[in-house]
């Protein structure tokens, strides 16, 4: 027996039923909001992430699955979608507005625990080529509706603005000065970050004491970033999307500017409560080689965590299970099952053409069918026996009536 690797999961029934609902809801919403499908490589040049995500970020420093391929190139299993999608935008000409939706596994070498996996699955939206706050609002609204649609309870949204790169130069100096004064009270990681990435200290769990009094980017926004943020906020207010301002939210990756946000569920413990997040990342395209700026905003939602916050379903998975009482009627039953499936009904049956009716009823219950239709002696008169599993009610009906019943339930 060769077991699966630590931090990876086999997602199988019954849990996979929630995954199917989540992925369908994502696909459906993405189409409604005008996002095209993007299927991205799971492997990219290492440099894309070190330059794009940032050399001094946790992900690049400690978590990437990086190796040399047989041709001697350094390659990395993607730890996130954004850098690859922006790369594809630049590589395909990089013009105008492009709205993309992607779904797939990401890889980060984490200390595995519940909700923190080495291979985890994200659904992701990227709105490229638009600088207006309306784009930020759209990806935030989309994410909120997705969580609502799949039944996540206690949805919370933290929102912040970290300003533009230019605003950050002055702010960064101020923050560094403050952190240096408090150096002796800081964790070792935070001390190391004073020079390389002081902003990250703001979301350091080990340094809450020092961070509490630190200057925050929100108090140092330039006039344009401030206006952008206030417009985004009033649009969210207008849409009735509740949020709280979290001045210490900076998010882990380097490429963000202006709006940053994070969704959580209040029904989870804090450490793994983040269901997704994102923000505006206007500087990224130029960091990875675009000759002109590409304003953009995106979101990545963590499916492994969302499914834990989704309710199970009492609803039946199948409309009907077709049981065959007289095995000579198997060819007719085969054709009927096929016809019903082609009309869009969810049907299963016993393809063995050998089991007893009792065994077929067991199978019907196991696979969550709403009813069983028994194909038997009355078939030649166009009749089957329909048993509704929930109520136990059984009657002889025509095959047309079976369809009618399925349509109406
Ligand atoms: P990030 O790309 O780090 O902003 O993460 C976006 C979302 O992906 C988070 O809010 C989590 O829901 C999910 N996520 C990130 N890392 C992991 C992980 N190691 N295991 C499971 N989910 C994760």
């Amino acid at each position: 027996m060769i077991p699966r690797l630590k931090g990876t999961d086999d997602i199988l029934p019954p849990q996979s039923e929630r995954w199917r609902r989540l992925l369908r809801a994502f696909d459906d919403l993405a189409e409604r909001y005008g996002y095209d499908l993007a299927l991205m490589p799971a492997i990219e040049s290492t440099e894309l992430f070190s330059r794009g995500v940032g050399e001094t970020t946790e992900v690049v420093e400690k978590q990437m699955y990086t190796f040399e391929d047989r041709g001697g190139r350094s390659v990395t299993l993607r730890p996130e979608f954004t850098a690859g999608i922006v790369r594809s935008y630049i590589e395909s000409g990089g013009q105008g507005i492009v709205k993309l939706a992607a779904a797939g596994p990401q890889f980060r070498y984490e200390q595995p625990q519940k909700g923190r996996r080495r291979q985890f699955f994200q659904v992701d939206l990227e709105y490229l080529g638009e600088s207006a706050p309306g784009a930020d609002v759209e990806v935030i609204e989309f994410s909120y509706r997705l969580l609502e649609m799949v039944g996540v309870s206690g949805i919370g949204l933290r929102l912040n603005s970290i300003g533009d790169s230019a605003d950050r130069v002055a702010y960064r100096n101020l923050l560094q000065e403050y952190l240096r004064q408090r150096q002796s009270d800081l964790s070792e990681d935070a001390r190391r970050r004073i020079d390389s990435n002081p902003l990250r200290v703001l979301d350091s769990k080990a340094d809450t004491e020092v961070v509490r009094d630190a200057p925050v980017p929100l108090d140092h926004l330039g006039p344009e970033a401030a206006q952008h943020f206030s417009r985004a906020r009033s649009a969210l207010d207008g849409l009735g999307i509740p949020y709280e301002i979290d001045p210490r939210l900076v998010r882990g990756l380097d490429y963000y500017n202006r709006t940053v946000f994070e969704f959580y569920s209040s029904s989870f413990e804090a450490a793994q409560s983040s269901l997704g997040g994102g923000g505006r990342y206007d500087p990224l395209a130029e960091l990875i080689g675009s000759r002109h700026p590409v304003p953009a905003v995106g979101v990545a939602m963590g499916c492994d965590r969302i499914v834990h916050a989704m309710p199970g379903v009492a609803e039946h998975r199948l409309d009907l299970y077709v049981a065959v009482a007289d095995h000579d009627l198997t060819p007719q039953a085969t054709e009927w099952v096929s016809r019903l499936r082609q009309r869009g009904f969810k049907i299963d049956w016993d393809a063995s053409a050998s089991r007893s009716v009792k065994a077929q009823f067991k199978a019907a219950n196991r696979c969550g069918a709403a009813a069983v239709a028994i194909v038997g002696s009355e078939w030649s008169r166009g009749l089957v026996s329909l048993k509704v599993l929930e109520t136990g009610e059984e009657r002889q009906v025509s095959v047309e009536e079976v369809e009618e019943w399925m349509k109406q339930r």
Side-chain angles (χ1 to χ4, degrees):
M1 169 63 198
I2 303 163
R4 66 191 148 81
L5 292 173
K6 204 167 145 186
T8 68
D9 299 296
D10 302 320
I11 298 162
L12 300 168
Q15 283 77 17
S16 55
E17 188 277 334
R18 291 183 202 187
W19 282 81
R20 186 183 256 174
R21 265 190 289 144
L22 173 59
L23 295 176
R24 277 207 184 131
F26 174 72
D27 198 41
D28 177 38
L29 268 192
E31 207 171 5
R32 260 195 261 168
Y33 280 65
Y35 290 77
D36 290 312
L37 175 68
L39 299 172
M40 303 306 299
I43 189 164
E44 298 270 3
S45 292
T46 302
E47 204 186 348
L48 176 69
F49 301 114
S50 51
R51 265 169 47 192
V53 174
E55 205 71 74
T56 60
T57 55
E58 182 108 357
V59 169
V60 172
E61 270 183 354
K62 299 187 192 153
Q63 299 181 330
M64 293 209 299
Y65 277 89
T66 296
F67 57 96
E68 205 172 272
D69 73 7
R70 284 165 196 272
R73 300 167 206 92
S74 179
V75 296
T76 294
L77 294 181
R78 67 178 177 215
E80 58 119 48
F81 267 128
T82 308
I85 292 181
V86 174
R87 178 209 38 76
S88 77
Y89 178 88
I90 302 168
E91 211 169 331
S92 61
Q95 294 294 328
I97 289 176
V98 172
K99 292 169 63 174
L100 296 173
Q106 313 297 334
F107 305 87
R108 294 182 196 171
Y109 200 80
E110 305 250 20
Q111 211 36 54
Q113 50 185 289
K114 186 159 181 272
R116 189 169 297 281
R117 317 300 297 152
R118 288 183 174 167
Q119 175 173 332
F120 60 97
F121 202 100
Q122 286 184 336
V123 290
D124 180 279
L125 285 190
E126 307 295 346
Y127 195 143
L128 299 148
E130 178 58 72
S131 59
D136 313 33
V137 171
E138 186 175 284
V139 300
I140 293 172
E141 193 216 355
F142 177 101
S143 315
Y144 186 80
R145 301 286 176 231
L146 177 66
L147 294 173
E148 234 180 17
M149 207 165 147
V150 298
V152 171
S153 59
I155 306 172
L157 167 60
R158 292 190 197 96
L159 188 67
N160 191 21
S161 173
I162 57 171
D164 287 315
S165 314
D167 312 335
R168 278 224 292 279
V169 177
Y171 166 71
R172 199 181 138 108
N173 289 336
L174 208 69
L175 179 63
Q176 278 174 326
E177 205 172 297
Y178 169 83
L179 293 174
R180 277 197 200 103
Q181 278 164 12
R182 302 287 306 267
Q183 196 152 358
S184 54
D185 304 322
L186 286 172
S187 67
E188 201 185 317
D189 256 0
R191 238 176 287 150
R192 222 166 27 86
R193 291 216 160 97
I194 297 181
D195 290 317
S196 61
N197 200 346
L199 225 68
R200 280 305 312 279
V201 179
L202 292 185
D203 66 1
S204 161
K205 304 280 178 294
D207 299 279
T208 44
E209 187 81 0
V210 178
V211 164
R212 194 170 331 132
D213 302 321
V216 291
L218 198 55
D219 294 331
H220 299 273
L221 301 184
E224 286 175 9
Q227 194 192 43
H228 185 98
F229 194 49
S230 109
R231 286 214 196 133
R233 288 186 59 175
S234 29
L236 289 172
D237 294 337
L239 291 169
I241 297 190
Y243 59 85
E244 66 228 53
I245 299 294
D246 178 354
R248 278 164 204 91
L249 177 70
V250 293
R251 310 235 344 114
L253 318 177
D254 269 2
Y255 49 58
Y256 289 114
N257 69 327
R258 298 197 174 182
T259 320
V260 291
F261 58 90
E262 200 157 82
F263 283 93
Y264 63 94
S265 165
S266 55
S267 26
F268 278 1
E269 324 143 28
Q272 274 86 49
S273 67
S274 167
L275 300 179
R280 179 160 280 286
Y281 53 88
D282 301 335
L284 176 58
E286 284 172 300
L287 284 177
I288 58 175
S290 172
R291 274 191 229 100
H292 59 88
V294 180
V297 56
V299 60
M301 306 291 287
C303 300
D304 305 74
R305 294 187 192 172
I306 296 173
V307 292
H308 280 297
M310 280 169 65
V313 269
E315 188 186 302
H316 293 287
R317 189 169 73 81
L318 293 174
D319 296 316
L320 188 70
Y321 192 95
V322 173
V324 184
D326 174 355
H327 293 303
D328 291 343
L329 292 169
T330 298
Q332 288 86 331
T334 308
E335 283 157 36
W336 189 40
V337 165
S338 163
R339 220 159 43 236
L340 291 175
R341 284 172 170 166
Q342 287 175 62
R343 295 207 185 128
F345 297 110
K346 294 176 214 142
I347 313 289
D348 207 353
W349 76 304
D350 173 30
S352 78
S354 66
R355 293 199 176 86
S356 68
V357 170
K358 193 171 159 206
Q360 295 180 68
F361 262 89
K362 250 196 207 155
N365 275 308
R366 212 172 31 237
C367 66
V372 179
I374 308 165
V375 174
S377 54
E378 299 300 308
W379 178 260
S380 56
R381 297 201 293 132
L383 298 176
V384 294
S385 174
L386 181 71
K387 179 159 182 171
V388 180
L389 291 176
E390 214 161 58
T391 59
E393 166 208 5
E394 185 167 355
R395 60 203 152 100
Q396 288 251 311
V397 293
S398 68
V399 289
E400 292 79 23
E401 281 170 299
V402 174
E403 277 194 41
E404 233 9 78
W405 179 83
M406 288 194 288
K407 267 188 217 147
Q408 272 163 22
R409 82 179 188 87

